[in-house]
Amino acid sequence: MKKWGTVLTLALITALILAIGIGTYAAEEPEISVEYGRLAYKDGVVTMDYAVEFKGVSSDAERGLLIWRGTPDGHYIKGREDVSLETGGKVTIDGETYYKFTLGGITERELADDIYAVAYAKVGSKIYYSEVNKHSPLRYVYIANGRIGNTPVSDGKLTAALAKMLERGAAAQIRDSYKTDRLATDDFV
């Protein structure tokens, strides 16, 4: 009888350890973050690339980037976005691999517009979200010029090209009477 008591006790302890271990493992939620952005400008149209990290998300999970081009209502969830982007593959930055998402079609007059991005992954029946990432093409120009952050671009040609881009953006805003209270050439830093 004593032998069965010991076996039963060991079985209960083992079950408890497994339950705690499985519960701890199941409680770990994926971590999703928008890590990097890049700006491209050609023929009056801006493209923004986003690099997103999906930690703890299986390779077959649904994932995407949700975009709001105007002032959002504060509900950054799937189904309420202006644009939903699918991944355009992967990109390696500083030895780390990220999923790449591209938002195109930003016109010159929209250079000073804020763009809100939230990455998501659907794991099972639950959707996990990143923090809200608020940027504008203008912010990327400020970063490249060293007005935000500590790493200014030392390339004089690039700096001149960025300045010209902002001038064209402000001219388009004035021409189209589009958000002239926030011109691309105004100083927001």
Side-chain angles (χ1 to χ4, degrees):
M1 191 69 162
K2 189 173 182 180
K3 183 177 177 183
W4 285 109
T6 303
V7 169
L8 184 59
T9 302
L10 287 174
L12 287 173
I13 290 172
T14 302
L16 181 63
I17 290 172
L18 285 174
I20 290 171
I22 290 171
T24 302
Y25 178 75
E28 291 181 22
E29 293 189 352
E31 294 179 34
I32 303 168
S33 59
V34 179
E35 293 293 326
Y36 294 96
R38 187 184 66 134
L39 181 80
Y41 177 73
K42 183 177 182 181
D43 299 328
V45 178
V46 172
T47 300
M48 291 174 60
D49 288 333
Y50 295 88
V52 180
E53 184 174 39
F54 292 93
K55 287 184 180 176
V57 177
S58 66
S59 61
D60 62 338
E62 175 187 334
R63 63 189 84 224
L65 188 69
L66 308 174
I67 301 290
W68 288 263
R69 299 275 307 261
T71 305
D73 62 7
H75 299 287
Y76 301 101
I77 57 174
K78 187 167 172 39
R80 299 187 67 117
E81 70 279 359
D82 294 331
V83 179
S84 180
L85 301 175
E86 293 181 9
T87 184
K90 295 181 181 180
V91 62
T92 301
I93 302 171
D94 295 332
E96 297 292 326
T97 302
Y98 302 94
Y99 284 83
K100 177 183 170 186
F101 297 88
T102 301
L103 174 64
I106 302 165
T107 63
E108 288 176 323
R109 76 179 197 167
E110 298 171 312
L111 293 177
D113 286 5
D114 288 325
I115 297 172
Y116 300 82
V118 173
Y120 77 91
K122 186 173 182 182
V123 178
S125 62
K126 187 168 181 183
I127 299 177
Y128 297 90
Y129 297 96
S130 71
E131 294 292 321
V132 177
N133 183 290
K134 176 184 166 187
H135 280 295
S136 69
L138 182 61
R139 179 174 169 76
Y140 287 108
V141 172
Y142 284 169
I143 291 169
N145 287 338
R147 298 187 64 206
I148 297 175
N150 299 318
T151 56
V153 173
S154 59
D155 183 348
K157 288 181 182 180
L158 178 59
T159 301
L162 292 173
K164 185 72 171 168
M165 180 183 77
L166 294 182
E167 289 169 11
R168 290 177 58 130
Q173 286 178 267
I174 292 167
R175 179 192 69 228
D176 298 343
S177 298
Y178 180 80
K179 298 184 180 179
T180 55
D181 60 326
R182 183 180 162 91
L183 294 175
T185 52
D186 290 347
D187 190 354
F188 298 106
V189 177

